[in-house]
Amino acid sequence: MKLVCILKAAWSSLRELPRNAVAQMPAMLAEFERVGERIMVMRRVGA
Amino acid sequence: MNLGTPLPEFSIQPAVLQHAAAIHQLIQEADLFQHGLDWRNFLVALTPSGEFIGCGQVKQHRDGTWELASIAVLPAWQGRGVGRAVIEALLARHPGELYLMSISALKPLYEKFGFVEIAPPRSSHSELPRNAVAQMPKYFRRLTRMPAMIAEFERVYERIMVMKREAA
């Protein structure tokens, strides 16, 4: 879930982003791909 | 001897101010996104004695969309239906259109609650298909484009170098 957090943090407030967050992202993306994991967006239609 | 209905292990209730610190701590320990944790948006799971054991929220973004987020349960209580109960209670309070962002491993869980994945990218680095992008609200569209942007920045950065020529 950490990558989701970093993405959201980067978008919400670049100034508050941990210094190493963006630096970590390429390695995390590579690890996600290695284990076959990815980020998804899901939608639930209103009742 | 009491043979009546056993007491429920936990209940789901709207958070109050005194839960704010526990919510922040659990979200931090669960490695979830730590911004936008206004306790007033949260429901909390409590034991009969009032002990905080889990939480979740639905929050609104600037583009008007609503997101199911911050679903977390204390490790000792995981696997006992607490997270499911929190999600069900949140969905009952927010019957309209909802979005969520998660790792794909949790897709089967959220599908049980009626969520459908918006056309998946080929991989984290890939650009999303145009039809998928068109289905997403602005907030999620930009978020999901970031990995590809970062990868591109990294690729470009690798070509940048500093050189020095000593004086003759």
Side-chain angles (χ1 to χ4, degrees), chain A residues 1-14 16-17 22 25-27 29-30 32-33 36-47, chain B residues 31-33 35 67 95-105 107 110 113 115-118 120 123-125 135 139 142-144 146-147 150 154:
Chain A
M1 294 302 276
K2 208 165 229 171
L3 183 55
V4 178
C5 298
I6 291 174
L7 285 173
K8 288 184 173 181
W11 179 246
S12 297
S13 175
L14 285 171
E16 294 177 26
L17 190 65
V22 172
M25 203 176 290
L29 286 170
F32 262 51
E33 287 199 345
E37 193 56 271
R38 59 187 166 73
I39 296 167
M40 61 173 187
V41 175
M42 299 184 85
R43 177 174 53 199
R44 182 175 188 266
V45 179
Chain B
D31 248 349
L32 297 178
F33 185 50
H35 293 254
E67 180 183 8
E97 186 180 62
L98 272 182
Y99 289 82
L100 66 81
M101 191 171 190
S102 174
I103 55 172
S104 53
K107 183 177 177 180
Y110 288 117
F113 294 104
F115 284 91
V116 176
E117 183 178 7
I118 297 177
S123 75
S124 298
H125 278 77
Q135 292 178 55
Y139 174 81
R142 291 180 172 174
L143 273 177
T144 50
M146 283 193 68
I150 299 264
E154 185 192 36

